[in-house]
C-alpha cells in the first residue's frame, strides 16, 4: 500500500469508502477506516497476473466458480475491523457471495509481488482469517526468478514451494500450469 490519502487520524465509514471508490480514478485499499492509494503495476506484474487469471478462468468455465483479476474488492472483517484489498486474482465459488461491489468468501487468492519478504505478511495474516479460503498463492513477478510460494489451509497455512517440478498446482480448483507459462 502507498501513503494514506486522508489523514491517518480521520475515519472513513465503509459505506462512504465504497461510494467514493466507485467514482475514483485510482484504486484504494481500506484498512479499519483508513484509505490507502494503490501503486500502479509493472509490466512484469501484469503479464504474470493476466496469464494466471486467463488460464484459471478458462479452466473454471462452466463451473459455479468465478475468476476476478485485480479490480474486484475483497472485504474481510477481523475482530470488528474492516479491511478491503484488491487481490491480483480471486476465485469465488460460493453462490451466496454475490454482492456486486465486493466479495467476502473466496476459495483461492493469488498475489503477484515484487518483494516477497515485505509485501505478503500483512495480507497473509488477514487472508488466513477467511473461513472459505483454501489456498493462497504468492508469485514472484520477476521472470528471471520464476518462483512461487503456496499456503494451504489443510496444512495449517505452512509455506510450501508453490511450483514443485516447475508446475503450479492449485488443488482447491483442480488446476495445474507450468511455471514458465506464467511468465511468457
Amino acid at each position: 500500500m502507498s501513503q494514506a490519502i486522508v489523514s491517518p487520524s480521520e475515519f472513513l465509514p465503509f459505506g462512504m469508502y465504497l461510494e467514493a471508490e466507485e467514482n475514483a480514478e485510482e484504486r484504494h485499499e481500506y484498512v479499519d477506516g483508513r484509505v490507502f492509494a494503490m501503486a500502479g503495476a509493472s509490466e512484469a506484474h501484469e503479464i504474470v497476473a493476466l496469464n494466471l487469471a486467463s488460464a484459471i478462468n478458462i479452466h473454471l468455465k462452466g463451473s459455479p466458480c468465478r475468476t476476478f483479476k485485480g479490480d474486484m474488492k475483497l472485504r474481510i472483517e477481523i475482530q470488528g475491523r474492516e479491511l478491503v484489498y484488491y487481490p491480483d486474482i480471486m476465485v469465488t465459488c460460493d453462490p451466496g457471495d454475490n454482492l456486486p461491489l465486493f466479495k467476502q468468501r473466496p476459495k483461492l487468492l493469488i498475489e503477484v509481488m515484487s518483494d516477497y519478504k515485505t509485501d505478503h505478511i500483512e495480507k497473509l495474516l488477514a487472508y488466513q482469517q477467511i473461513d472459505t479460503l483454501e489456498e493462497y498463492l504468492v508469485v514472484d513477478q520477476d521472470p528471471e526468478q520464476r518462483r512461487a510460494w503456496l499456503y494451504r489451509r489443510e496444512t495449517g497455512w505452512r509455506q510450501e514451494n508453490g511450483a514443485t517440478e516447475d508446475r503450479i498446482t492449485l488443488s482447491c480448483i483442480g488446476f495445474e500450469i507450468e511455471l514458465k507459462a506464467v511468465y511468457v
Side-chain angles (χ1 to χ4, degrees), residues 129-166:
Q129 307 306 309
I130 304 169
D131 62 354
T132 58
L133 187 65
E134 294 180 28
E135 292 178 330
Y136 171 45
L137 179 68
V138 179
V139 181
D140 192 323
Q141 72 178 8
D142 185 347
E144 300 301 317
Q145 296 294 326
R146 292 187 182 181
R147 297 179 297 187
W149 301 268
L150 182 64
Y151 298 86
R152 285 193 171 105
R153 178 175 297 281
E154 69 183 26
T155 61
W157 295 115
R158 283 194 333 253
Q159 180 184 334
E160 304 174 17
N161 180 353
T164 55
E165 298 178 20
D166 294 323

Side-chain angles (χ1 to χ4, degrees), residues 44-53 55 89 110 112 137 139-141 143 146-148 166-168 175-184:
H45 178 281
E46 284 299 293
I47 288 169
V48 171
L50 184 58
N51 285 342
L52 263 172
I89 302 168
I110 300 173
V112 179
L137 179 68
V139 181
D140 192 323
Q141 72 178 8
R146 292 187 182 181
R147 297 179 297 187
D166 294 323
R167 297 187 75 69
I168 294 173
F175 175 79
E176 204 172 278
I177 189 170
E178 287 187 18
L179 187 59
K180 68 181 178 184
V182 171
Y183 293 94
V184 294

